[in-house]
């Protein structure tokens, strides 16, 4: 186990508690001491940690840290399965796979969707991609960490899933904070509203599935109503926010997309058709 921050330590503790012989390394060596007390072996260098086991799990702060540690490991990676759980882009995952393969190592890229206290439970999702044979060989061990899904042999696929899921979460939550500002500005109870909003969000599952299918086929039904009708509602949403001093940037962006789509002759289509305007020109 390379990297003993909160998440790396949680992963190492899970392996130790499930009976796996675990060697740990961290740049700040003192972070290994609690794990050694639990039964791990501390290695003085990253290369020596890698040499101790065929399965090498990396969980560091960012891709820059991964590059630095792999540079120190270098030839010691030969014959190992390198599992990188550090956040990063699909391009970085594919570059890491090339690095590993050039040194005779198999590569799995994984991402972590959850918090350290829940590692070792089904409440943490681990998407993986990369070497199929490596995943099949070590999948049972990796499933000790949480709910595992394999996304195929393209090493970047797990990062695609992770980036999309996390981005969607932030998009929803920043929108939610905007609506809480609106509710509070009108003097309503934000906690009561949040409870009602949670029920509304839970009912969106069929709509998300429908939008995904519409984007896949390019056939856009009038979900949420025709854009011609929705655009009028957007004017009301914008003017309401302006009247109580709440930010309107996001609402104006949506309205602009609707107006452009309507001007292009697609006013009878639904919200999902805005997808056609989101490619960077």
């Amino acid at each position: 186990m390379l990297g003993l921050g909160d998440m790396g330590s949680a992963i190492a503790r899970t392996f130790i508690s499930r009976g796996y012989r675990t060697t740990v390394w961290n740049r700040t060596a003192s972070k290994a001491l609690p794990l050694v007390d639990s039964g791990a072996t501390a290695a003085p260098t990253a290369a020596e940690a890698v040499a101790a086991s065929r399965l090498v799990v990396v969980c560091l702060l960012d891709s820059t840290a991964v590059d630095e540690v792999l540079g120190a490991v270098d030839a010691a990676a030969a014959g190992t399965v390198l599992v990188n759980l550090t956040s990063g882009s699909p391009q970085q995952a594919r570059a890491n796979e090339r690095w590993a393969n050039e040194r005779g190592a198999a590569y799995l890229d994984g991402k972590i969707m959850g918090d350290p206290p829940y590692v070792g439970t089904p409440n943490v999702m681990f998407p993986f991609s990369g070497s199929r044979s490596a995943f099949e060989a070590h999948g049972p061990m990796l499933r000790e960490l949480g709910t595992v899904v394999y996304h195929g042999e393209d090493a970047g696929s797990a990062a695609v899933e992770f980036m999309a899921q996390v981005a969607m979460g932030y998009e929803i939550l920043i929108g939610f904070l905007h609506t809480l500002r609106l509710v509070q500005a009108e003097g309503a109870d934000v906690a009561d509203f949040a409870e009602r909003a949670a029920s509304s969000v839970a009912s969106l599952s069929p709509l998300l599935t429908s939008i995904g299918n519409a984007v896949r086929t390019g056939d856009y039904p009038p979900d949420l109503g025709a854009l011609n009708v929705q655009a009028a509602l957007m004017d009301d949403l914008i003017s309401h926010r302006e009247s109580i001093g709440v930010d309107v940037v996001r609402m104006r962006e949506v309205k602009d997309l609707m107006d452009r789509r309507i001007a292009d002759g697609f006013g009878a289509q639904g919200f999902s058709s805005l997808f056609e305007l989101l490619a960077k020109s």
Side-chain angles (χ1 to χ4, degrees):
M1 184 74 215
L2 305 182
L4 300 176
D6 290 344
M7 186 61 76
S9 294
I11 292 168
R13 279 194 300 270
T14 300
F15 286 143
I16 295 165
S17 68
R18 306 293 165 85
Y20 292 98
R21 181 178 60 83
T22 305
T23 301
V24 297
W25 173 85
N26 193 72
R27 193 183 305 276
T28 303
S30 60
K31 288 191 174 182
L33 296 179
L35 297 166
V36 171
D37 290 341
S38 297
T41 299
T45 67
E48 288 174 83
V50 169
S53 176
R54 186 166 185 274
L55 183 68
V56 179
V57 180
V58 181
C59 186
L60 299 169
L61 177 63
D62 54 27
S63 293
T64 299
V66 171
D67 290 343
E68 292 175 356
V69 171
L70 292 184
V73 168
D74 201 29
T80 67
V81 173
L82 182 65
V83 179
N84 180 29
L85 297 178
T86 307
S87 297
S89 71
Q91 293 81 4
Q92 289 164 334
R94 294 171 186 130
N96 289 336
E97 181 182 54
R98 289 192 296 272
W99 182 95
N101 292 167
E102 288 168 359
R103 287 156 181 80
Y107 183 80
L108 282 171
D109 198 75
K111 297 294 176 262
I112 307 170
M113 298 166 62
D115 298 320
Y118 301 105
V119 172
T121 77
N123 297 325
V124 183
M125 177 74 77
F126 288 83
F128 283 98
S129 58
S131 170
R132 185 179 299 276
S133 60
F135 181 77
E136 290 174 349
H138 297 282
M141 183 176 178
L142 296 174
R143 288 188 177 93
E144 301 279 10
L145 301 178
T147 301
V148 167
V149 179
Y150 178 65
H151 289 270
E153 294 184 303
D154 175 3
S157 294
V160 171
E161 178 73 11
F162 173 79
M163 291 289 188
Q165 292 274 7
V166 171
M168 182 175 177
Y170 278 122
E171 292 279 4
I172 291 171
L173 292 174
I174 192 62
F176 181 54
L177 290 179
H178 274 83
T179 59
L180 290 183
R181 174 61 67 183
L182 182 152
V183 169
Q184 186 181 69
E186 288 286 13
D189 188 286
V190 292
D192 288 347
F193 170 77
E195 186 173 351
R196 294 189 296 275
S199 297
S200 299
V201 170
S203 68
L204 290 178
S205 179
L207 178 61
L208 295 180
T209 301
S210 173
I211 289 175
N213 288 331
V215 169
R216 173 192 283 170
T217 63
D219 182 17
Y220 301 108
D223 48 55
L224 302 180
L227 291 178
N228 288 324
V229 176
Q230 292 186 59
L233 172 61
M234 295 306 299
D235 287 331
D236 292 336
L237 291 173
I238 291 168
S239 62
H240 177 215
R241 291 186 178 211
E242 288 178 330
S243 71
I244 57 177
V246 175
D247 184 90
V248 296
V249 170
R250 292 172 65 81
M251 289 296 105
R252 285 195 180 281
E253 178 186 10
V254 175
K255 177 64 161 54
D256 176 65
L257 291 170
M258 288 183 176
D259 288 345
R260 288 168 56 193
R261 193 68 176 157
I262 291 168
D264 288 341
F266 300 102
Q269 294 183 345
F271 187 84
S272 56
S273 72
L274 302 184
F275 175 82
E276 296 292 337
L277 300 178
L278 299 182
K280 186 176 181 179
S281 59

